[in-house]
Structure formats: structure tokens, C-alpha cells
């Protein structure tokens, strides 16, 4: 029995080491792909701009439209590469676990959105129990909360005053935080896939974005030893839950 256990443990150790190497390789791959893609893209961007600036008289309307489309494509690809870089940074950054009360952080983030909230006629209610504590990397948690606020602001329903509720509660050894909005919501069947890189349920023409915010949020939560998940009904808003060690 003891020999069997030892064998099993050795196999688990070996498998974990293999997985760590594979993960490391994937990180390096994503990082260098993003970096190396930027150089040729800068070339296409620069030359297509020169074409429009210096050779525009040689182009007819259709030719101009083609070059403008090339430029739009390169700009979009530039944004996607930047997003991939941001994601791989979250994967590689050294995270620190500090005990912190999220209240100040949340208030800071809400204040940071004040202009946009005012413009949208939105109200935010923050309701947190006193002395709530989470174990989290301050920068990582702030980024998660900012991404959730960003989405709550973006996916509002036209003609409906936006209402965002931020709450929290303490469990036995974990703390929950949530961000709830009364926006367009989404079909519950998509509650998992929205956390994948570049997965979006809306067209970029209707709601700008590339679909990286929630992927970064999930990566950050995993790395902090926590979880993120969402609940929603189409047309009735969405709630995003965060669970972190207390
Ligand atoms: N609060 C929300 N209400 C309704 N749908 C949401 C909400 N948050 C996210 N979604 C859906 O999940 C998709 C993925 O969200 P995510 O934040 O990753 O990307 P994005 O906001 O579209 O783009 P980016 O974050 O890169 O600007 C969104 O495109 C949207 O379809
Ligand atoms: Mg987003």
C-alpha cells in the first residue's frame, strides 16, 4: 500500500513538472508571437500611410478605399496584439498576496469612472460589510474590478438608467464580491465562454472592445487563488461574482 502511494505521488510530481514546463513554453510562445508580430505590422501601417499621403493622386476612389481598409485591418490587429500582450503579462507578472479591505479600492475605481457615470446618468451603490478582508494582489484585483465596471458601463440598455450595485460578504474562509448591473445581460449558455480570449457576444460595431477583459480577469483570479463566474438573464442585467481567500 505504501509503495503504491509513493509511486502515485511520484507520478503526480512528474506530471506537474511536465505541465509547468508546457505552461512556461506557452507563455514564452504567446509573448514572443505578440512581440514579433508587431514589427511587420508597423511596416504595413507605415507604408499604407505613405501611400495615402504621398500617392493619393494616383489612386481612384476604389484604390483609396482598399488602402483605407488595409489601414483599418492593421489598426485592429495592433489592438488585438496589445490585448494578447496584456493577457500574457497577467500570466507572467509576479503577484503578491496581501490582506486588504477592498472598500478603498472599490471607491477609488468608482471615483475614476465618475465622468463616464455622470455622462451615462448612472448610479452606483456600494454596499460592503465593515472590515471585509481579502487576500489578493492589489494591482490584480483592481484590474479585475476595473474590467467589470468597464463592462457594466458598456453593456447598458438604451433608454434605461444604468444602475450598478457592488457588494460583498464574508464566508468562513473566503470572501465574495459582486458587481451587478441592469444592462442587456446575456444568455446563460454563454456564462463560461465569455471568459475565453476574444470571445464576444456582441458586434464591435455595436459595442466596442476585443473580448480580452474577462479573460484577463479570469487569469488574475486564478493566479490569486480565487474564482470568477457570472449569472445573467437576457435583458435583465448581469452579475459577476468574485471569490477570494479571506
Ligand atoms: N455586464 C455585462 N453585460 C452583458 N454582457 C456582458 C457583460 N460583461 C461581459 N459581457 C459579454 O461578454 C463578452 C466578453 O467580455 P469582455 O470584457 O471579455 O470583452 P469586451 O468588453 O467585449 O471587450 P474588452 O474587454 O476587450 O474591451 C462581451 O463582449 C459581452 O458580450
Ligand atoms: Mg470588457
Amino acid at each position: 500500500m505504501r509503495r503504491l502511494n509513493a509511486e502515485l505521488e511520484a507520478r503526480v510530481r512528474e506530471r506537474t513538472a511536465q505541465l509547468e514546463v508546457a505552461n512556461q513554453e506557452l507563455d514564452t510562445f504567446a509573448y514572443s508571437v505578440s512581440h514579433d508580430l508587431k514589427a511587420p505590422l508597423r511596416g504595413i501601417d507605415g507604408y499604407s500611410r505613405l501611400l495615402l499621403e504621398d500617392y493619393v493622386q494616383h489612386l481612384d476612389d476604389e484604390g483609396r478605399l482598399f488602402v483605407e481598409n488595409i489601414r483599418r485591418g492593421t489598426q485592429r490587429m495592433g489592438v488585438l496584439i496589445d490585448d494578447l500582450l496584456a493577457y500574457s503579462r497577467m500570466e507572467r507578472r509576479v503577484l503578491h498576496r496581501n490582506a486588504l479591505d477592498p472598500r478603498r479600492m472599490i471607491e477609488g475605481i468608482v471615483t475614476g469612472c465618475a465622468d463616464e457615470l455622470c455622462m451615462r446618468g448612472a448610479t452606483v451603490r456600494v454596499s460592503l460589510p465593515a472590515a471585509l478582508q481579502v487576500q489578493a494582489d492589489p494591482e490584480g484585483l483592481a484590474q479585475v474590478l476595473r474590467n467589470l465596471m468597464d463592462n457594466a458601463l458598456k453593456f447598458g440598455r438604451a433608454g434605461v438608467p444604468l444602475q450598478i450595485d457592488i457588494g460583498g460578504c464574508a464566508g468562513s474562509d473566503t470572501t465574495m464580491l459582486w458587481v451587478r448591473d441592469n444592462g442587456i445581460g446575456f444568455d446563460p449558455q454563454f456564462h463560461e465562454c465569455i471568459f475565453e480570449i476574444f470571445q464576444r457576444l456582441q458586434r464591435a460595431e455595436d459595442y466596442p472592445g476585443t473580448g480580452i477583459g474577462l479573460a484577463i480577469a479570469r487569469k488574475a483570479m486564478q493566479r490569486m487563488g480565487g474564482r470568477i463566474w457570472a449569472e445573467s438573464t437576457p435583458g435583465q442585467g448581469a452579475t459577476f461574482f468574485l471569490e477570494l481567500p479571506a
Side-chain angles (χ1 to χ4, degrees), residues 2 13 17 20 45 56 61 89 94 121 134 144 147 171 175-176 180 182 187 189 220 224 239:
R2 204 171 301 143
R13 261 201 305 278
E20 270 167 9
D45 189 56
V56 75
D61 285 351
R89 256 198 306 276
V94 178
V134 293
V144 172
N147 290 359
T175 296
M176 288 251 295
R180 175 170 296 136
N182 63 343
D187 193 309
Q189 66 169 308
M224 291 188 286
T239 308

Side-chain angles (χ1 to χ4, degrees), residues 49-240:
R49 197 181 56 236
L50 283 178
L51 206 55
L52 274 186
E53 282 171 7
D54 299 346
Y55 291 84
V56 75
Q57 68 276 20
H58 300 293
L59 296 171
D60 60 10
D61 285 351
E62 196 173 33
R64 257 197 313 276
L65 184 72
F66 288 172
V67 182
E68 277 160 10
N69 283 344
I70 292 173
R71 291 191 53 69
R72 248 198 299 282
T74 52
Q75 272 148 16
R76 177 141 179 85
M77 190 161 170
V79 174
L80 290 173
I81 292 172
D82 286 341
D83 286 349
L84 268 182
L85 277 173
Y87 180 81
S88 75
R89 256 198 306 276
M90 179 52 78
E91 215 158 26
R92 320 167 123 249
R93 208 165 62 76
V94 178
L95 297 191
H96 305 280
R97 264 208 215 167
N98 297 347
L100 57 96
D101 181 342
R103 181 185 302 273
R104 285 256 306 274
M105 180 184 285
I106 289 172
E107 283 168 359
I109 290 168
V110 173
T111 310
C113 308
D115 284 352
E116 202 175 347
L117 288 167
C118 184
M119 228 159 56
R120 305 277 319 261
T123 38
V124 181
R125 280 191 305 231
V126 181
S127 167
L128 298 164
L132 197 65
Q133 179 176 295
V134 293
Q135 300 282 340
D137 174 81
E139 218 181 293
L141 181 58
Q143 177 151 25
V144 172
L145 289 165
R146 264 197 305 272
N147 290 359
L148 295 183
M149 270 300 275
D150 196 51
N151 285 349
L153 277 164
K154 180 161 48 178
F155 297 108
R157 266 178 296 163
V160 179
L162 184 60
Q163 170 78 53
I164 302 173
D165 287 290
I166 304 177
C169 71
S172 53
D173 50 6
T174 58
T175 296
M176 288 251 295
L177 296 172
W178 56 85
V179 178
R180 175 170 296 136
D181 63 58
N182 63 343
I184 58 172
F186 56 86
D187 193 309
Q189 66 169 308
F190 300 119
H191 73 125
E192 275 294 329
C193 81
I194 54 174
F195 292 97
E196 304 288 334
I197 291 185
F198 300 145
Q199 287 294 323
R200 312 192 72 227
L201 308 176
Q202 264 73 37
R203 300 182 325 157
E205 294 89 312
D206 300 332
Y207 297 90
T210 54
I212 199 75
L214 289 179
I216 290 178
R218 181 169 70 173
K219 176 56 66 186
M221 291 304 292
Q222 281 169 350
R223 292 211 52 211
M224 291 188 286
R227 292 196 301 142
I228 179 169
W229 70 97
E231 285 174 8
S232 179
T233 310
Q236 290 185 34
T239 308
F240 286 81

